[in-house]
Amino acid sequence: MSCMGRTVFIGLDGVPHGLLKRLADDGTMPHCRRLFEIGNLHCIASTIPDISSVAWSSIITGKNPAEHGIFGFVDIPINTYRISFPNYLSLKSKPFWEKSEGRSVILNVPSTFPVREMNGVHISGFVSLDLERSVYPPGLLSQVKALDYKVDVDAEKAHVSMDMFLSDLDKTLTARGKVCDHLWQHEKWDTFMIVFTGTDRLMHFLWDAYEDEEHWYYKAFRGHFSKVDAIVGSIIDRLNDNDILVMCSDHGMEHLDKNVYVNAILKEHGFLHYDPALKGGFANIDGRTKAFSLDPARIYLNKRGKFPRGCVAPNDEEKIIEDICELFQRYAVGGKAVCKAIYRKKEIFHGPFIDLAPDIVLIGNEGINLHSGLTAENTSEETIFSGKHTQHDAFLYVRGRDKCPSVKEGFNVSNIIGYIDSLKAERWR
Amino acid sequence: MTKTLDHLSRLENQSIFIIREAYSQFRNIAMLWSIGKDSTTLMWLVRKAFFGKVPFAVLHIDTGYKFKEIYDFRDTYAQQWGINLMVVKNDEAIAQGVCPKTGKFECCNQLKTEALKQTMDKYKFKALYLGIRRDEHGIRAKERVFSTRDEDFEWDYKNQSPELWDQYKTKATHEEHIRVHPLLGWTELDIWQYILRENIPIVSLYFAKQGRRYRSIGCETCCSPVASQADTVEKIVEELQTSTISERSGRAQDKESAYIMQKLRSLGYM
Amino acid sequence: MTNILSFVIVGHVDHGKSTLVGRLLYDTDSLSSDKIEEMRKRSTELGHDIEFAYLLDHLEEERVQGITIDTTQVFFKSKKRRYVIIDAPGHVEFVKNMVTGASQANTAILIIDAAQGVQEQTRRHAYILSLLGLRGVTVVINKMDLVGFDKCQFESIEKDITDFLNRIDVHVNVCIPIAAKTGDNVVSRSNEMNWYKGPTTMEALDAVEIDIRRDSATFIFPVQDVFKLDDERVILGTIESGSIRENEYVSVLPTLQKTKINKLKVFGREIAEASAGESIGVITQAPVFLDRGMVLVNDENDVVCSDTIQAHLFWMHPKSYALGDKVDIRIATQEVRCVIEMVVKKINSSTLELINAAEAEIKNLEVAQVKIKTKKAVMYKRFQDNQGVGRFVLVRDGSICAGGIII
């Protein structure tokens, strides 16, 4: 152990600042409450778009999406209309643990599959295709398996039986706690990072159980958070006073009213043309298409030279972007604007991979979940999910009240790593 | 707030209703237990219907060619669950040398169908529970929940009486017996998800060893395993889900993409 | 939370049921690429566009060989939820099979050929739906391509069928002009019929709410059996409506005794409350006699207990009913000897014409409004108030020969 203390970094996927504060206050999360009395809890922003793969990539690299190259769970590579799924291999900046000299334990950070050699232990998070490629060093695999470890809850279960889903969620968390415990005890480390992802899954399906005391799953909802809190408690009990403790979420969450389908709106207004009778998704986009969108709401111009049937000439780009922005500014469903904010590429992205970035990113209004499936025929729909991501209301917590640099306005998740570095520097001084 | 039953609970309650309905009509009923996943699930539901008891005879048709694992499983759980087990064998045919080599059809007919007929006659069973599902194959799609067989075990599927709502044909004439199918509306995936939810013990043959597992089990001589890595119930459920998805998704997507897509979809991310 | 809607597609045998099912599967991505490719190839060889009706034939062939799924339960998924089509086309040879399928369905699609309009079979099937209590149907007018996507033709058929359905108390959720062959207004919106502003077939299905037994809150528990468990007598049954907690009082029908629910039993876990749809066991306070066919309720004033029943019934047995014949009536687990005392009116189920009610028999496929006299009092409610105890079957020699609803 070095004299400057170790760093412990806990992630709570999707947990909003407001919810965390409330569950700490109402006794659901007593350990967090204890922490909040001896440190600062800040409300911060997520990345744009506010999706886990992008946000966690920004958290672990401290970079803008146009620097690390991850813009969503799906992508369409240049010169194709083929959907691809970016993973850890697509991440174009180094995560903090590859830049520091110390030894790290990294458990369940989303979008870090497949794992590769590093100084320490790395078990990747959602989406991980198999456990074999999720565990580094490979020698650890049998122990991880023996503890019944599972990367993620099987969310399909929630569509079949909520009870089954909850029991799987609980099992997944228990096993994660055991592996965390095991690594804490048996590994040497300077930095220990763990992300709890079940919180996000739970809120997607049961946000309505959060506030409604009459809800059948009201207790189960809080039960999961209590259990996460207990594991957090067991971690902080083992900390020394000079250890740095940071907690954060990658985005916020709120009630979901409706799905709104961006491509259906683009199609409705003549920006997007494809033959819905043909299979093959984006491959059927035809040459008249000016723009299409990828999940959650990243709009790409169908530029000449960039895509196979690209038709948008450089001179026309600005005008089309203007038209699309205007369309979404006024577009409403049931009297409610669908967008809370609309960003043009240059306002939000900077870095060497800006050419791969979407031209426009939409942020859904309160309760509106923007989606970009191609098969949607309606422009909006109700869904079985009850929670959706928000770009605002993520949180950052730092233990210790003195010696902490302030968190400035406009702070977002990509600033966290830099912030931790400055904390370390402060302690060192 | 009243609870809305989820899909598996609804299936479970309906099946228990059917099991009790048959038992209330036919005290001289028996159950066929092949030790496979479906009939073991049925056994589980029977135990639920009667609070841990199995109040009728359970028949296991033994051709003598079953896997060792099947016999072990049968004996372990017959004892643990207090089952009145009757092992059914056509000794005569076996003595005459009927075996898989004499032809699959003849072998099945003699060692299974004939054996069962003899037992039904001997004990005067008027009804029989079976764990069949509509989605299994072929002609089973036309099955009813309560289905009549004549004295020759023939099934006149073109001339069945209708079933309305929860009302079934519950009287057998002198020559007939009735087959009761409490799992008729379940799918293979439902069964595995229920096994997972309830933690029902299952013969190890279903789990992959060296890259292969059995999807259905019966006689060792007539079963062949399929390629699979699924060595837990959890993984079998996942395999069934992703295989249908990858079949469905068309195009040249490889299995990995299909898997990711399914994960993202189930979370509403796509 | 569970999102599986089951439905039937009914209508005249040639009006395009198979094609519609094929289209639904194809357009919701429920088919593998191999199957689509094969279909494309086969159709090209025959020199025409993809024929979706083949798809089911093809599935059927595979099914017979035991390779793939059956066609009587076809599953697919929209973005909103999962669907199962019960007793899909090809199996609806017999009215009783259709009845068996439709009685298990949450909702129905009635299909009509735009060129041929409403036919006898269309009306008969619709009538059966109404007798089964399916109060809302989605009507699709198919093969619009054959009539040049003509709005007037659509509206004329829409009027015909809506008039008919209104007369038999069936609500038309929506009437949709479609061409299943080309996919117009099935899952994708039609470019040919811009005059139509309503939902597509998929949207209409997505909008159907699954009936979650909203009946009445009255606790109704038909006794299915009495099971001796060690020293206890456990009353078995499935709760028809309402809910119950331990220590609540209930009345026994038809004897009108009162008793207390001492314990609720479910194997493997403790419960203190149970509600509609759950198959449970109850232990009542001794001594009270209980047997199959009795009903436990928590509010006997909310149900009828009588030996006279007014009903609509549908006869579906080749052997006619002759007035005065003794048959058994079954309502939930109650089974009592009865006679049809009077035929109020008899209706031809396709023309809705009144048939001479003085005729002393009810023939196969006839619908009748009747007065039934039971040998002893039975407990029931009107169908519109409670589905489970508002419907019945008539049984002769152990076989179901008629079904009906109480009015």
Side-chain angles (χ1 to χ4, degrees):
Chain A
M1 195 194 306
S2 78
C3 61
M4 66 177 281
R6 305 168 297 179
T7 303
V8 173
F9 190 179
I10 300 173
L12 302 181
D13 200 297
V15 173
H17 172 264
L19 174 142
L20 186 63
K21 212 165 162 317
R22 178 160 160 191
L23 295 190
D25 288 345
D26 76 5
T28 304
M29 305 182 81
H31 297 286
C32 283
R33 181 182 189 153
R34 180 154 61 97
L35 278 180
F36 297 162
E37 283 162 8
I38 53 162
N40 291 315
L41 179 65
H42 307 281
C43 184
I44 63 169
S46 180
T47 45
I48 301 168
D50 48 56
I51 192 146
S52 295
S53 54
V54 185
W56 284 111
S57 296
S58 283
I59 292 172
I60 61 174
T61 60
K63 304 280 190 193
N64 184 275
E67 295 173 297
H68 62 59
I70 305 291
F71 296 96
F73 276 115
V74 297
D75 230 329
I76 289 187
I78 286 181
N79 278 324
T80 73
Y81 287 116
R82 179 172 47 80
I83 286 277
S84 77
F85 301 93
N87 61 17
Y88 193 35
L89 299 171
S90 329
L91 185 72
K92 297 189 172 72
S93 298
K94 283 187 176 172
F96 68 84
W97 57 84
E98 289 187 357
K99 289 190 282 194
S100 80
E101 290 181 357
R103 200 176 142 81
S104 303
V105 169
I106 306 295
L107 178 53
N108 197 37
V109 178
S111 292
T112 60
F113 174 92
V115 295
R116 59 182 175 236
E117 196 182 335
M118 47 94 70
N119 180 13
V121 172
H122 179 194
I123 301 176
S124 60
F126 183 79
V127 181
S128 291
L129 288 169
D130 51 57
L131 215 47
E132 282 68 22
R133 286 178 286 166
S134 303
V135 179
Y136 181 84
L140 201 62
L141 184 63
S142 56
Q143 292 162 58
V144 170
K145 273 191 176 168
L147 292 169
D148 287 329
Y149 187 75
K150 209 157 84 117
V151 172
D152 203 63
V153 60
D154 180 4
E156 188 76 24
K157 288 199 173 90
H159 300 252
V160 180
S161 155
M162 204 43 82
D163 289 337
M164 241 166 94
F165 167 75
L166 288 170
S167 116
D168 195 42
L169 192 73
D170 188 65
K171 253 170 68 185
T172 310
L173 178 60
T174 304
R176 184 128 43 235
K178 279 190 196 154
V179 169
C180 172
D181 215 43
H182 178 87
L183 297 175
W184 188 285
Q185 288 179 26
H186 295 95
E187 296 293 331
K188 285 197 169 57
W189 49 266
D190 302 291
T191 301
F192 192 102
M193 179 177 189
I194 176 173
V195 180
F196 295 94
T197 37
T199 46
D200 174 83
R201 314 298 182 256
L202 178 69
M203 290 184 291
H204 272 300
F205 290 106
L206 288 174
W207 180 265
D208 51 3
Y210 161 43
E211 291 186 304
D212 177 6
E213 283 183 37
E214 297 284 295
H215 197 285
W216 186 266
Y217 293 109
Y218 178 81
K219 278 192 185 144
F221 185 93
R222 275 171 165 67
H224 184 77
F225 277 89
S226 290
K227 193 158 173 180
V228 170
D229 183 68
I231 299 177
V232 170
S234 76
I235 292 175
I236 54 180
D237 286 345
R238 288 179 283 195
L239 287 181
N240 300 319
D241 283 346
N242 60 338
D243 292 334
I244 290 173
L245 172 66
V246 175
M247 281 168 62
C248 80
S249 62
D250 56 332
H251 53 75
M253 190 77 78
E254 68 184 12
H255 173 71
L256 189 163
D257 272 331
K258 263 196 180 69
N259 273 345
V260 170
Y261 297 98
V262 179
N263 281 325
I265 297 174
L266 288 173
K267 186 165 177 254
E268 188 181 76
H269 289 80
F271 290 102
L272 171 59
H273 299 265
Y274 66 94
D275 186 348
L278 293 174
K279 301 286 113 181
F282 288 91
N284 295 314
I285 286 179
D286 83 17
R288 292 170 294 163
T289 292
K290 295 197 179 68
F292 57 86
S293 179
L294 297 180
D295 277 313
R298 300 136 57 199
I299 299 176
Y300 292 79
L301 294 194
N302 191 26
K303 291 180 189 167
R304 195 184 292 161
K306 185 175 179 184
F307 293 107
R309 288 183 290 284
C311 71
V312 175
N315 285 340
D316 301 331
E317 288 178 15
E318 270 315 305
K319 170 85 176 80
I320 295 168
I321 288 174
E322 275 314 307
D323 291 348
I324 292 174
C325 288
E326 204 215 303
L327 164 65
F328 282 99
Q329 254 149 25
R330 63 179 163 78
Y331 201 94
V333 168
K336 184 175 185 179
V338 298
C339 291
K340 172 177 268 173
I342 298 172
Y343 295 100
R344 291 164 177 78
K345 182 196 299 210
K346 282 186 190 130
E347 297 174 76
I348 44 171
F349 297 121
H350 56 83
F353 302 101
I354 193 154
D355 286 347
L356 303 177
D359 295 289
I360 303 167
V361 180
L362 312 175
I363 300 293
N365 210 347
E366 189 209 341
I368 305 279
N369 192 36
L370 297 178
H371 249 299
S372 295
L374 256 195
T375 45
E377 274 297 320
N378 292 1
T379 49
S380 72
E381 231 159 42
E382 298 190 352
T383 106
I384 76 156
F385 297 100
S386 76
K388 62 158 284 250
H389 293 186
T390 63
Q391 202 258 327
H392 63 282
D393 207 29
F395 80 90
L396 173 70
Y397 167 79
V398 184
R399 192 177 65 158
R401 288 204 192 268
D402 49 340
K403 286 195 205 166
C404 282
S406 61
V407 166
K408 295 191 187 72
E409 199 172 326
F411 191 101
N412 71 53
V413 293
S414 68
N415 304 122
I416 295 175
I417 274 298
Y419 187 82
I420 295 178
D421 285 342
S422 62
L423 275 178
K424 283 183 190 165
E426 193 73 28
R427 304 255 162 124
W428 188 234
R429 218 145 39 97
Chain B
M1 180 164 161
T2 44
K3 189 180 176 183
T4 312
L5 296 179
D6 63 40
H7 179 58
L8 287 181
S9 302
R10 213 154 40 191
L11 287 173
E12 175 188 76
N13 281 296
Q14 275 165 1
S15 296
I16 291 175
F17 173 83
I18 294 165
I19 290 165
R20 289 172 171 174
E21 197 66 5
Y23 183 66
S24 83
Q25 298 297 316
F26 305 101
R27 287 301 203 237
N28 51 347
I29 192 169
M31 170 183 160
L32 209 55
W33 187 27
S34 73
I35 328 293
K37 62 177 193 311
D38 297 323
S39 61
T40 303
T41 299
L42 177 57
M43 183 70 83
W44 190 263
L45 290 163
V46 165
R47 293 176 63 243
K48 281 206 170 189
F50 302 111
F51 312 100
K53 301 261 188 287
V54 182
F56 38 72
V58 170
L59 315 181
H60 178 238
I61 304 179
D62 184 7
T63 57
Y65 294 99
K66 301 283 177 191
F67 291 93
K68 177 178 177 301
E69 287 89 339
I70 292 182
Y71 295 113
D72 291 348
F73 185 94
R74 179 190 76 186
D75 296 341
T76 305
Y77 286 99
Q79 198 196 13
Q80 188 173 324
W81 291 337
I83 291 169
N84 171 18
L85 182 74
M86 294 172 67
V87 175
V88 175
K89 255 183 164 163
N90 186 350
D91 292 320
E92 207 176 308
I94 293 171
Q96 283 166 9
V98 176
C99 70
K101 283 183 195 147
T102 42
K104 276 188 189 175
F105 178 78
E106 181 61 11
C107 180
C108 258
N109 189 40
Q110 283 296 326
L111 301 191
K112 287 187 188 167
T113 316
E114 268 307 313
L116 180 62
K117 231 187 245 182
Q118 290 167 5
T119 308
M120 297 282 288
D121 278 352
K122 186 170 164 196
Y123 293 96
K124 306 273 176 272
F125 292 126
K126 288 305 280 179
L128 191 63
Y129 291 107
L130 284 94
I132 67 161
R133 290 176 288 111
R134 258 199 202 107
D135 79 334
E136 263 176 274
H137 63 78
I139 202 74
R140 286 196 172 165
K142 293 181 198 287
E143 272 290 4
R144 299 275 204 255
V145 177
F146 281 59
S147 185
T148 320
R149 294 293 184 282
D150 68 13
E151 62 216 288
D152 297 318
F153 274 35
E154 297 280 320
W155 174 39
D156 183 3
Y157 63 83
K158 287 194 174 151
N159 200 18
Q160 305 184 82
S161 49
E163 286 186 340
L164 260 86
W165 308 302
D166 293 335
Q167 300 289 356
Y168 310 105
K169 177 178 167 68
T170 48
K171 295 268 184 321
T173 62
H174 190 57
E175 315 77 38
E176 294 171 329
H177 78 268
I178 297 218
R179 299 211 163 169
V180 181
H181 305 132
L183 300 180
L184 201 57
W186 295 51
T187 65
E188 187 179 7
L189 184 59
D190 292 333
I191 294 278
W192 281 112
Q193 282 176 327
Y194 187 69
I195 289 171
L196 181 62
R197 184 181 96 170
E198 300 284 307
N199 206 8
I200 304 173
I202 288 295
V203 184
S204 61
L205 295 165
Y206 285 107
F207 304 115
K209 283 175 213 74
Q210 278 118 40
R212 293 164 89 71
R213 70 176 193 91
Y214 290 89
R215 261 184 98 169
S216 59
I217 57 169
C219 295
E220 196 163 0
T221 41
C222 294
C223 278
S224 52
V226 296
S228 167
Q229 298 295 335
D231 56 2
T232 61
V233 176
E234 195 105 302
K235 287 185 191 167
I236 291 173
V237 167
E238 201 146 89
E239 182 183 277
L240 287 171
Q241 276 167 353
T242 46
S243 67
T244 39
I245 295 284
S246 67
E247 278 164 26
R248 234 190 259 142
S249 64
R251 308 186 274 285
Q253 258 144 13
D254 57 23
K255 229 181 149 171
E256 289 193 352
S257 295
Y259 177 87
I260 298 174
M261 206 159 358
Q262 188 242 347
K263 291 280 164 203
L264 293 175
R265 285 220 170 112
S266 66
L267 277 170
Y269 286 164
M270 268 187 87
Chain C
M1 217 47 219
T2 305
N3 260 327
I4 300 184
L5 184 97
S6 57
F7 67 96
V8 280
I9 303 178
V10 300
H12 189 275
V13 68
D14 293 326
H15 287 190
K17 286 179 278 194
S18 304
T19 313
L20 179 58
V21 175
R23 238 325 150 179
L24 281 169
L25 294 180
Y26 182 77
D27 286 356
T28 53
D29 267 342
S30 309
L31 296 168
S32 73
S33 51
D34 310 354
K35 228 160 256 151
I36 294 171
E37 209 30 61
E38 210 174 310
M39 221 162 60
R40 222 186 277 271
K41 245 168 85 185
R42 195 153 141 185
S43 306
T44 323
E45 280 163 16
L46 294 169
H48 53 60
D49 298 337
I50 291 186
E51 190 68 77
F52 284 95
Y54 287 163
L55 176 66
L56 282 181
D57 298 345
H58 182 65
L59 290 178
E60 174 73 3
E61 275 169 35
E62 288 193 348
R63 196 173 64 72
V64 170
Q65 294 161 22
I67 302 168
T68 182
I69 53 162
D70 69 273
T71 48
T72 47
Q73 291 219 18
V74 177
F75 291 86
F76 69 95
K77 223 170 163 178
S78 75
K79 278 177 299 298
K80 186 174 174 193
R81 62 176 160 217
R82 300 168 189 217
Y83 286 93
V84 50
I85 309 177
I86 300 179
D87 204 23
H91 297 270
V92 201
E93 309 105 346
F94 306 107
V95 166
K96 59 191 178 188
N97 284 357
M98 183 231 150
V99 169
T100 299
S103 76
Q104 307 301 325
N106 297 120
T107 189
I109 292 182
L110 179 64
I111 192 166
I112 304 168
D113 186 319
Q116 298 190 15
V118 178
Q119 306 271 306
E120 178 185 338
Q121 217 172 16
T122 316
R123 281 190 287 258
R124 178 158 283 150
H125 282 182
Y127 207 107
I128 295 167
L129 293 181
S130 88
L131 282 164
L132 290 171
L134 283 166
R135 283 289 174 254
V137 302
T138 300
V139 176
V140 296
I141 314 267
N142 190 24
K143 306 192 192 179
M144 286 299 293
D145 49 330
L146 299 186
V147 297
F149 301 102
D150 180 35
K151 188 181 175 199
C152 294
Q153 178 74 6
F154 168 74
E155 282 172 348
S156 131
I157 297 173
E158 180 184 28
K159 187 175 180 309
D160 274 3
I161 191 66
T162 308
D163 286 351
F164 179 82
L165 292 175
N166 284 343
R167 278 160 71 198
I168 59 174
D169 238 7
V170 172
H171 170 73
V172 179
N173 292 337
V174 62
C175 189
I176 310 170
I178 68 165
K181 197 176 151 192
T182 48
D184 288 72
N185 287 340
V186 177
V187 175
S188 316
R189 187 155 291 282
S190 171
N191 291 325
E192 307 287 344
M193 293 178 277
N194 289 326
W195 46 265
Y196 172 75
K197 303 290 180 212
T200 62
T201 311
M202 194 70 252
E203 286 165 357
L205 283 171
D206 275 347
V208 173
E209 277 179 38
I210 297 179
D211 177 22
I212 37 172
R213 289 184 183 243
R214 282 211 190 80
D215 294 341
S216 62
T218 303
F219 171 69
I220 300 181
F221 184 75
V223 175
Q224 200 178 3
D225 205 350
V226 178
F227 185 71
K228 282 208 186 73
L229 183 69
D230 306 321
D231 294 333
E232 290 177 319
R233 284 166 57 84
V234 187
I235 316 301
L236 306 182
T238 301
I239 301 174
E240 202 56 71
S241 63
S243 60
I244 191 77
R245 287 173 171 275
E246 283 178 359
N247 298 323
E248 285 182 348
Y249 284 86
V250 293
S251 305
V252 182
L253 295 176
T255 58
L256 284 174
Q257 289 164 287
K258 294 264 189 302
T259 186
K260 196 175 95 177
I261 303 292
N262 275 352
K263 193 156 177 45
L264 297 175
K265 282 182 81 79
V266 166
F267 182 60
R269 63 193 164 95
E270 292 294 318
I271 54 162
E273 183 180 12
S275 49
E278 293 189 84
S279 297
I280 58 166
V282 304
I283 293 171
T284 54
Q285 202 169 38
V288 58
F289 177 75
L290 279 166
D291 203 357
R292 180 179 171 93
M294 294 175 154
V295 185
L296 303 182
V297 296
N298 64 354
D299 178 5
E300 73 261 25
N301 295 320
D302 189 52
V303 300
V304 183
C305 200
S306 153
D307 63 357
T308 311
I309 297 171
Q310 298 275 359
H312 283 142
L313 68 77
F314 180 67
W315 194 260
M316 47 183 161
H317 195 276
K319 193 177 158 209
S320 306
Y321 179 86
L323 227 53
D325 277 357
K326 289 194 172 76
V327 291
D328 294 326
I329 184 168
R330 286 199 206 150
I331 303 171
T333 63
Q334 305 172 96
E335 180 162 2
V336 182
R337 207 19 86 95
C338 73
V339 292
I340 296 175
E341 210 178 41
M342 191 173 113
V343 176
V344 182
K345 58 185 180 189
K346 260 193 344 178
I347 306 148
N348 175 319
S349 56
S350 81
T351 59
L352 292 195
E353 269 169 38
L354 285 181
I355 305 167
N356 184 5
E359 240 179 74
E361 57 174 18
I362 306 171
K363 295 198 208 67
N364 199 13
L365 304 183
E366 278 182 354
V367 172
Q369 185 183 330
V370 296
K371 197 169 135 197
I372 296 169
K373 189 90 181 161
T374 58
K375 202 169 168 191
K376 56 180 189 184
V378 285
M379 171 270 166
Y380 62 86
K381 293 190 73 165
R382 289 187 311 169
F383 181 80
Q384 64 187 72
D385 299 331
N386 188 305
Q387 301 206 351
V389 293
R391 59 198 180 192
F392 63 91
V393 296
L394 297 182
V395 176
R396 192 163 55 187
D397 304 328
S399 289
I400 293 170
C401 47
I405 57 178
I406 299 168
I407 54 173

